[in-house]
Amino acid sequence: MGEVNSKVMRAKEAVARFVQDGDELVIGNYTVGSCAELVYEIIRQNKKGFTLYSQSGIFDVEVLVAGGCVDRLVSTYVMRSGGKKGGSAVERALNAGTLQIEDYTNFDYNARLVAGMHGFSYMQVLEGVMATDLFRKRGFMGEDKFRVIRCPYTGKDTVTVPAANPDVCVIHVQRADEFGNAQYWGAMGSVAAAALASKKIIVSCEEIVDHEIIQSSPHLTIIPAYRVNAVVEIPWGAHPTEVLGYYNLDYFMYNGLFSSAAATADGLKEWMEEWVYECPDRPSYIEHYIRKFGTAALDEIKAKPLYSAPANYGSAFHSRWDRNGKERSMGVTRVQLENLLKEKGKLYE
Amino acid sequence: MSKSYTLDELLAIAVAKEINDYENVVLGVGVPMTAGALAKALFAPHATLMMESGIVDIRPLLSLNNIADAHSCKGFSYATDLFSAFTATYRGFVDVCFLGVGQVDKYGNLNTTVIGDYDKPTLRLPGSGGAADFISYSKRTVLTMRGGTFVDKLDYLTSPGYLEGGDSRDKTGLFPKGSGPSALISTKGIFRFDPVTKEMYLSQIHPGVSLENVRKDIPWDLKVAPDLTETMRPTDEEIDFIRDFAPELSAGRQLAVELRAAYQMEKSRLHCV
């Protein structure tokens, strides 16, 4: 698919090429629009031994943990299906001793990636955490979870977290061009920092658009092409989570089927068998969904258009030469300029 | 006589009344979101509602699925990121935030991380999310309680209330003066914190709830305000707003789960035949 050096490829190839066993892997999305298909592909390729970073720890973390891909988890939030009586893959793995966890606050977690994104070795965080067990209780990071330094300007104790620079970020966005310029809008969360802190970036998107569309709306671009390793076009790539402007949360699949399944180990295993392992890619997943539940379920959650008012990026002129052929500030034509240069002996043969 | 109401509706309406006009408000999903929307519609029209995902000045149309759910809003005025949402809180620009309760002690310290051992949990709860940072730096924090428990000692301190009580929070030098939990609102009543000892006391009791009924959930000897008042019955307008905006909150957790399961079964069956 595509040219030899093109970044456009299938999920299968992107994951095989850029995700390695034992990587520090970060899920770029925060709470909404998670990169479901990239995550499922990682599980299908049976990648192992990750230190997984996830700000929001939703279904994506649950399936990666249940798929046996994760040794260590850095997060701020653990999903629990079915309330107190239910359960979570993370809880089960902790109790089985197959997973270690490091708990941060939302800010502290994000600060590690912001530090990494800017090339700093640490970031100052909000000192209130020192009064909590988040600060006192250290997991696999030990002393390096937080360190306290003295601010050279105020003399006050300052809490810091170490920079994170994950090996690879997987992320789903609304649209991108073939070069990897990735556009995302809505709740910004910590999406840009997660991607930009990482050494490699795999972008999946609802659609690949012309480069001109990106050029006309640069404020929507959160990852520049030069940082991106792979671009994968995956319509419905975040399902059952939502993508603003494309589709809503699939309540039926997420809060219904997935959540009831994820409450128990067997239930989740069965769900993953059906929706992860037996669907080799997103088109077959969607096909399976439609065969099982009909098209109405998906039609119901498709977004209706609500366009942002266009911003005017126009300027007064696009050439140094005015309509009479005169240079706008010097007032000479191109020929006149060249004659002058010749007269003054500035031109060399 | 106004309409009859559910306890969850009463809770959301009481929470909404903690929001004053012109305040900057950080909301969470569930009760706080509904309360924020109610406050904005009925008595705090100039409040700025925001979420930690960076969506600011949201106009919610329906109850949000999560804290980054821009789909449920008519629009928002400012799209910043999570980092800046918290540093704005750190700098003192947030007047009030709302946190749910897993375990809470008499000084308003919270555990939303784990029941039992941290490494081998009896019950792994969600974790901090934004909670620890918000209760640290928001000017006020309102605790909302639907399913949590009062305990003498937390299994894990996720979010700092008044620590050991008295001036212990202020003495750490870690928090803005005057910050901390301002109220805990449950389906039974409204608790506030003594200005000196910082111990939680019952300030207001919901209609039809007895003092014994409140005390039976609380392991310490609960203090009660000498001028204990009864929560005002919600108005029809307040109740109607909630039923329109967040019918699942009116249904309550148990019934909502049952109805959803039944409806899903029905939908799958319809497709299969």
Side-chain angles (χ1 to χ4, degrees):
Chain A
M1 203 179 160
E3 302 150 37
V4 180
N5 291 321
S6 171
K7 290 177 184 175
V8 178
M9 60 187 82
R10 291 179 193 281
K12 204 176 285 299
E13 184 189 352
V15 168
R17 278 176 63 183
F18 300 113
V19 182
Q20 314 299 330
D21 284 354
D23 270 355
E24 289 204 352
L25 169 72
V26 60
I27 294 172
N29 299 98
Y30 169 53
T31 301
V32 294
S34 189
C35 44
E37 184 56 21
L38 292 178
V39 164
Y40 294 2
E41 182 56 33
I42 288 170
I43 296 168
R44 283 191 297 264
Q45 291 192 20
N46 200 24
K47 303 279 185 185
K48 300 262 182 243
F50 295 130
T51 296
L52 178 65
Y53 290 76
S54 166
Q55 178 102 44
S56 54
I58 53 171
F59 80 105
D60 41 20
V61 170
E62 287 285 286
V63 292
L64 278 166
V65 169
C69 309
V70 185
D71 288 354
R72 292 169 160 186
L73 175 63
V74 184
S75 191
T76 85
Y77 204 86
V78 174
M79 182 179 175
R80 177 173 201 89
S81 300
K84 278 183 191 164
K85 290 174 200 149
S88 90
V90 169
E91 180 185 279
R92 292 189 287 271
L94 288 172
N95 278 309
T98 55
L99 179 72
Q100 294 176 289
I101 189 168
E102 202 69 89
D103 268 272
Y104 278 110
T105 71
N106 262 344
F107 183 80
D108 300 339
Y109 170 94
N110 184 211
R112 293 192 58 198
L113 293 161
V114 172
M117 157 187 177
H118 291 290
F120 301 149
S121 54
Y122 68 87
M123 181 61 69
Q124 176 178 348
V125 295
L126 316 184
E127 57 271 16
V129 76
M130 286 173 79
T132 74
D133 287 335
L134 289 151
F135 181 83
R136 289 185 285 259
K137 177 77 191 172
R138 308 296 173 98
F140 60 85
M141 290 177 67
E143 290 302 304
D144 279 344
K145 183 180 183 185
F146 291 100
R147 285 188 186 269
V148 179
I149 58 172
R150 176 151 299 194
C151 170
Y153 301 100
T154 63
K156 279 186 183 168
D157 278 351
T158 300
V159 193
T160 69
V161 291
N165 290 104
D167 295 297
V168 58
C169 173
V170 285
I171 186 166
H172 190 72
V173 299
Q174 280 101 336
R175 64 190 188 194
D177 66 15
E178 60 179 313
F179 309 112
N181 291 299
Q183 295 199 325
Y184 174 88
W185 55 94
M188 303 310 286
S190 52
V191 177
L196 296 175
S198 301
K199 295 168 190 158
K200 287 170 286 182
I201 305 172
I202 301 175
V203 171
S204 67
C205 58
E206 286 298 315
E207 51 183 330
I208 292 180
V209 295
D210 277 352
H211 182 56
E212 285 309 309
I213 290 179
I214 303 289
Q215 288 267 308
S216 75
S217 53
H219 284 86
L220 300 178
T221 307
I222 61 161
I223 311 168
Y226 71 86
R227 293 295 318 278
V228 171
N229 298 82
V231 183
V232 189
E233 187 177 47
I234 313 179
W236 296 101
H239 184 270
T241 51
E242 62 276 64
V243 177
L244 192 64
Y246 290 81
Y247 43 89
N248 276 37
L249 179 81
D250 188 339
Y251 210 87
F252 172 60
M253 179 55 131
Y254 196 158
N255 304 59
L257 297 183
F258 177 79
S259 290
S260 1
T264 66
D266 287 345
L268 185 52
K269 194 164 171 245
E270 206 175 304
W271 185 93
M272 286 175 65
E273 206 53 57
E274 179 176 0
W275 296 102
V276 179
Y277 294 107
E278 284 175 15
C279 301
D281 53 23
R282 192 83 338 188
S284 38
Y285 166 95
I286 292 295
E287 214 172 279
H288 179 60
Y289 185 99
I290 290 172
R291 205 163 41 237
K292 201 158 177 185
F293 306 119
T295 48
L298 290 180
D299 287 344
E300 213 169 275
I301 58 169
K302 275 186 192 159
K304 295 174 185 69
L306 175 64
Y307 285 96
S308 171
N312 188 350
Y313 281 82
S315 65
F317 45 80
H318 293 97
S319 165
R320 286 305 310 167
W321 307 96
D322 70 15
R323 72 176 73 163
N324 301 316
K326 283 186 177 176
E327 203 284 336
R328 289 178 191 278
S329 63
M330 297 184 287
V332 292
T333 65
R334 173 83 177 267
V335 174
Q336 285 170 333
L337 177 63
E338 285 169 358
N339 285 340
L340 278 167
L341 289 172
K342 197 173 179 186
E343 273 170 32
K344 294 189 183 292
K346 300 274 190 190
L347 296 181
Y348 298 82
E349 291 304 324
Chain B
M1 191 69 174
S2 54
K3 278 190 183 183
S4 41
Y5 55 86
T6 72
L7 291 178
D8 285 330
E9 289 170 343
L10 184 67
L11 169 64
I13 291 161
V15 170
K17 289 179 179 167
E18 297 291 316
I19 297 171
N20 302 313
D21 207 4
Y22 294 97
E23 284 191 326
N24 295 337
V25 185
V26 169
L27 299 171
V29 286
V31 169
M33 184 67 241
T34 302
L38 171 67
K40 179 105 180 142
L42 298 188
F43 27 81
H46 305 96
T48 300
L49 307 181
M50 54 183 104
M51 306 291 266
E52 67 200 83
S53 59
I55 50 179
V56 175
D57 191 21
I58 56 173
R59 289 186 294 172
L61 293 172
L62 56 155
S63 45
L64 276 62
N65 287 315
N66 55 55
I67 54 173
D69 183 7
H71 296 69
S72 302
C73 303
K74 189 169 182 204
F76 48 104
S77 303
Y78 181 46
T80 186
D81 58 11
L82 183 143
F83 195 85
S84 307
F86 280 103
T87 51
T89 312
Y90 186 54
R91 292 191 59 201
F93 295 117
V94 170
D95 295 299
V96 59
C97 73
F98 300 89
L99 301 183
V101 170
Q103 287 181 330
V104 61
D105 69 16
K106 67 164 76 162
Y107 299 118
N109 301 300
L110 304 174
N111 171 19
T112 52
T113 301
V114 65
I115 306 292
D117 180 64
Y118 179 77
D119 296 307
K120 295 272 189 283
T122 308
L123 205 62
R124 174 62 216 210
L125 304 174
S128 167
D133 293 319
F134 280 131
I135 198 173
S136 292
Y137 299 103
S138 176
K139 287 180 190 158
R140 305 195 307 283
T141 299
V142 174
L143 312 177
T144 64
M145 193 154 168
R146 274 172 107 188
T149 47
F150 295 95
V151 296
D152 279 323
K153 189 171 175 5
L154 306 176
D155 291 2
Y156 183 101
L157 197 169
T158 313
S159 301
Y162 293 109
L163 303 179
E164 312 292 320
D167 60 356
S168 61
R169 180 177 166 109
D170 280 349
K171 264 169 60 183
T172 62
L174 301 173
F175 307 99
K177 289 262 182 283
S179 65
S182 58
L184 181 150
I185 305 182
S186 79
T187 49
K188 295 184 178 177
I190 301 180
F191 304 79
R192 299 206 184 265
F193 294 85
D194 183 274
V196 177
T197 66
K198 301 296 184 188
E199 186 177 325
M200 183 191 301
Y201 66 90
L202 183 67
S203 151
Q204 210 170 310
I205 194 163
H206 294 334
V209 179
S210 70
L211 206 47
E212 292 65 49
N213 194 297
V214 175
R215 283 190 197 278
K216 81 176 169 63
D217 303 331
I218 296 176
W220 65 86
D221 185 17
L222 176 72
K223 297 194 170 62
V224 176
D227 55 346
L228 180 72
T229 53
E230 193 177 90
T231 309
M232 289 222 308
R233 287 180 59 88
T235 64
D236 288 1
E237 195 183 22
E238 291 161 353
I239 294 167
D240 284 339
F241 180 91
I242 291 188
R243 288 185 194 165
D244 280 342
F245 181 84
E248 78 289 355
L249 189 136
S250 297
R253 276 180 180 153
Q254 191 57 38
L255 180 60
V257 167
E258 287 166 21
L259 288 172
R260 276 174 194 148
Y263 190 43
Q264 276 159 16
M265 288 288 286
E266 187 189 323
K267 272 189 179 172
S268 326
R269 228 184 0 255
L270 278 178
H271 176 70
C272 290
V273 290

